[in-house]
Amino acid sequence: MSPRKRTDTGALPAPVSPERHAALHGPLLSWYDRNKRDLPWRRTRDPYAIWLSEVMLQQTQVATVIPYWERFLTRFPTVKALASAPLDDVLSGWKGLGYYSRARNLHRAAQEVVERFGGKLPSKAEELLSLPGFGRYTSGAVASIAFGEEAPIVDGNVARVLSRLFEVEGLPGDRDREATLWALASALVKGERPGDFNQALMEHGATVCRPESPLCLLCPVRDGCIAFKKGRVDELPPAKVRAAPRKLFLALAVWPHAGSLLFARRADKGLFGGLWELPAVEVEEDTSEAEATERLATALGAPLTLVGTMDSVRRQLTHRDLTLRLLRVTGDKRPTKSAAFQELRWCTPQEAEALGMSTAMQRALDAALGHGVMGGDAAPAEPAKKKTAGRTARKAAGR
């Protein structure tokens, strides 16, 4: 069993009087009943389907999630079906959603639910917290929405609503601020229909109490909002200062042979953890093609010859400005394993469609195929001077 995760909200009391609770709880529920969006996971009582929606909605827009949620449930309709599926199949079903650690944790949690709970999700937030990928928010959401437990939730939308209603100061992530928000959420969720109340808070934050241009005139609890009374709605919560995305350059080996390409599966941790790719190594912006080929050869444990280059692929990630440099290579030794990667596999482009691959790497593969690396009629790779990666690669290949 996983170690118990911390659930306390600090020493702060919940500053909600019975009168204030009644003035917020009932009106928000009534507003939700009239105005909630018709979302597919709101039409089911299946705890697994609700859990899946909560995981997919983390860091992802609702409109994007809906078709993924529907396809994923068709492919893996039950916890047991998900638990018994190969991880590659799960990652393939997640392809395009990003933040793939969510899919890996979902898979691991499903296996634990089968092993420890007979394939049924536990109904209490405290038990859910022991599962991989279940933080306090996800546990509270599943326990309240699927099972009716009075379990609180605080996500970005809820934090914004509560910050304005109660004039909660502090930057996102501040310990005292987070403790205050959880104490408020814990007090407010008590009463009828806790799952619907939690969804009301989230829905209100998503559609009315928005980060910019909030629709205060449509707010059902405007009279009880301290920020509105004081003219501080635009100030609360203060915007979190985000660091500029870090530039990251990866060199990718595009190695065709007999109708197939070489693919590698990355280590579980780090960027694109556990996903498949055209084998990649980190380089610097000014790394030469020859040196990049050398590093790829070392990672693959096989001498490489640089055949040509292709246009780089650029992707903007949340925290990184990513540049993928595509190097067409070849070699006499075709590796099937390497210490730098979990797994190597030679696949046709059609077989690669079933691999769990990030959107960035899929774009790189599409670009390589568009350059005709499989012998088609598309534009060829730009030729390069034929050069075998140096002695580091030869030494690695001889181990």
Side-chain angles (χ1 to χ4, degrees):
M1 181 178 294
S2 302
R4 178 173 295 183
K5 301 168 189 176
R6 182 174 177 177
T7 62
D8 66 277
T9 58
L12 296 177
V16 182
S17 67
E19 294 77 18
R20 191 85 191 279
H21 179 280
L24 297 176
H25 193 96
L28 277 170
L29 272 178
S30 298
W31 172 87
Y32 177 71
D33 290 338
R34 295 190 306 271
N35 297 281
K36 65 182 176 182
R37 289 169 290 178
D38 181 21
L39 303 176
W41 44 85
R42 289 179 176 164
R43 303 181 213 134
T44 179
R45 302 301 299 173
D46 178 10
Y48 166 60
I50 292 169
W51 167 35
L52 178 64
S53 73
E54 290 298 333
V55 174
M56 286 188 167
L57 286 166
Q58 295 167 16
Q59 307 290 334
T60 309
Q61 298 278 341
V62 168
T64 301
V65 166
I66 291 174
Y68 277 95
W69 181 84
E70 292 172 338
R71 287 194 299 267
F72 200 92
L73 275 179
T74 299
R75 192 168 180 179
F76 311 105
T78 65
V79 173
K80 291 182 178 179
L82 177 60
S84 62
L87 178 58
D88 279 348
D89 288 357
V90 177
L91 293 174
S92 176
W94 202 270
K95 186 183 293 186
L97 266 180
Y99 297 95
Y100 287 85
S101 61
R102 295 181 296 174
R104 291 195 301 275
N105 283 332
L106 190 76
H107 188 236
R108 288 173 51 219
Q111 292 174 330
E112 288 200 22
V113 169
V114 170
E115 293 169 4
R116 294 167 49 198
F117 301 103
K120 294 183 178 181
L121 277 168
S123 61
K124 299 298 183 184
E126 186 173 0
E127 289 181 299
L128 290 168
L129 272 170
S130 70
L131 295 169
F134 273 85
R136 195 173 184 204
Y137 165 80
T138 306
S139 300
V142 174
S144 63
I145 297 170
F147 299 108
E149 183 183 3
E150 292 178 344
I153 61 166
V154 176
D155 68 350
N157 286 321
V158 174
R160 182 168 55 258
V161 172
L162 296 181
S163 293
R164 289 169 174 171
L165 284 174
F166 292 89
E167 197 180 23
V168 179
E169 305 283 0
L171 289 170
D174 176 78
R175 184 174 179 177
D176 288 343
R177 173 185 183 268
E178 300 306 314
T180 298
L181 293 174
W182 278 103
L184 289 167
S186 298
L188 290 173
V189 76
K190 296 185 183 304
E192 63 174 341
R193 300 165 56 195
D196 284 345
F197 179 76
N198 279 338
Q199 291 184 90
L201 282 176
M202 290 189 287
E203 187 82 346
H204 186 56
T207 62
V208 175
C209 196
R210 305 180 303 196
E212 298 177 359
S213 303
L215 305 176
C216 293
L217 293 179
L218 301 180
C219 176
V221 289
R222 182 181 66 235
D223 292 344
C225 179
I226 299 176
F228 179 76
K229 290 179 179 178
K230 294 186 177 182
R232 300 193 62 200
V233 172
D234 291 335
E235 299 175 21
L236 295 172
K240 186 176 183 179
V241 179
R242 296 187 179 275
R246 181 171 73 89
K247 290 186 177 182
L248 180 64
F249 299 86
L250 298 178
L252 276 59
V254 182
W255 189 348
H257 173 73
S260 62
L261 286 166
L262 180 61
F263 292 88
R265 186 173 172 184
R266 296 175 71 91
D268 283 336
K269 293 187 177 180
L271 183 66
F272 305 136
L275 298 180
W276 288 90
E277 65 183 14
L278 296 169
V281 294
E282 186 172 351
V283 295
E284 290 72 48
E285 185 172 9
D286 58 354
T287 299
S288 68
E289 295 165 3
E291 173 61 21
T293 305
E294 177 97 19
R295 294 188 193 181
L296 283 166
T298 301
L300 291 171
L304 296 180
T305 298
L306 178 62
V307 177
T309 61
M310 289 164 261
D311 295 336
S312 295
V313 172
R314 294 284 302 276
R315 294 290 293 180
Q316 187 68 53
L317 308 181
T318 305
H319 303 295
R320 293 176 177 86
D321 182 1
L322 182 64
T323 300
L324 305 176
R325 297 172 55 184
L326 277 63
L327 306 180
R328 180 168 178 173
V329 300
T330 189
D332 294 331
K333 177 185 177 183
R334 285 178 287 280
T336 56
K337 60 181 179 179
S338 164
F341 301 100
Q342 285 196 61
E343 188 178 348
L344 298 181
R345 188 181 298 179
W346 293 86
C347 295
T348 66
Q350 293 73 28
E351 291 168 338
E353 292 176 2
L355 299 179
M357 192 179 302
S358 70
T359 300
M361 292 300 175
Q362 184 65 53
R363 296 292 178 270
L365 174 60
D366 293 343
L369 295 175
H371 274 280
V373 296
M374 305 308 294
D377 297 326
E382 181 183 338
K385 291 182 179 180
K386 212 169 188 181
K387 181 170 181 179
T388 300
R391 61 177 177 271
T392 303
R394 290 194 293 273
K395 182 178 180 182
R399 288 178 184 164

